[in-house]
Amino acid sequence: LDSFNYPKNNQGGNSNVVLSNVPSGLYDLYLYGHGTNPVYIGDYTLIVGDRTKGRKATSKEFDAVSSKEWVEGGQYVKFAGFAVEPGEKIEILIQPGGTVSDGARTFADSMISGLQLIKVD
């Protein structure tokens, strides 16, 4: 969790990840994202085709930063058992977590450290 992607040109705001050409089936999606500041979280909305599958975020608690154990809802979120039909895209809307400062600026970036898409059927 020591590197992550920012929005375009590091200007703050939302980001999107789009997965296309995904074979049809049932999937679990794991999204990883947390900064070293407890308020610097991953906030994700999953959209499959034209269906929203929900919004989940990593924890704003300090234990998510300091824990050596990976905990769902702490350093990562899981969207389980969703269907992808032929030709559908998977879109992940990544929204900013809490506002932080690096001394030069105050910002609220969206962030993602990684993802795993696992076919479960």
Side-chain angles (χ1 to χ4, degrees):
L1 292 176
D2 65 352
S3 62
F4 38 83
N5 290 329
Y6 293 106
K8 184 178 179 181
N9 298 323
N10 199 15
Q11 297 297 310
N14 295 342
S15 290
N16 289 299
V17 171
V18 178
L19 306 174
S20 55
N21 299 315
V22 176
S24 61
L26 287 176
Y27 289 89
D28 289 345
L29 176 65
Y30 295 83
L31 296 164
Y32 306 86
H34 211 295
T36 55
N37 185 315
V39 300
Y40 208 20
I41 64 167
D43 183 342
Y44 311 105
T45 300
L46 177 63
I47 303 157
V48 180
D50 60 358
R51 302 174 313 279
T52 300
K53 297 297 182 181
R55 182 177 181 181
K56 296 183 179 186
T58 58
S59 176
K60 293 182 181 178
E61 302 298 320
F62 182 74
D63 63 343
V65 177
S66 61
S67 176
K68 294 180 182 178
E69 299 291 325
W70 284 71
V71 177
E72 183 177 346
Q75 304 88 345
Y76 73 94
V77 299
K78 177 182 179 183
F79 291 92
F82 62 89
V84 176
E85 300 299 327
E88 288 185 322
K89 293 180 181 177
I90 298 172
E91 180 178 354
I92 304 156
L93 171 63
I94 310 162
Q95 299 175 76
T99 302
V100 296
S101 177
D102 63 7
R105 66 184 185 110
T106 299
F107 53 97
D109 283 330
S110 55
M111 62 180 295
I112 184 170
S113 300
L115 67 84
Q116 290 180 315
L117 180 65
I118 301 170
K119 193 167 186 187
V120 294
D121 70 344

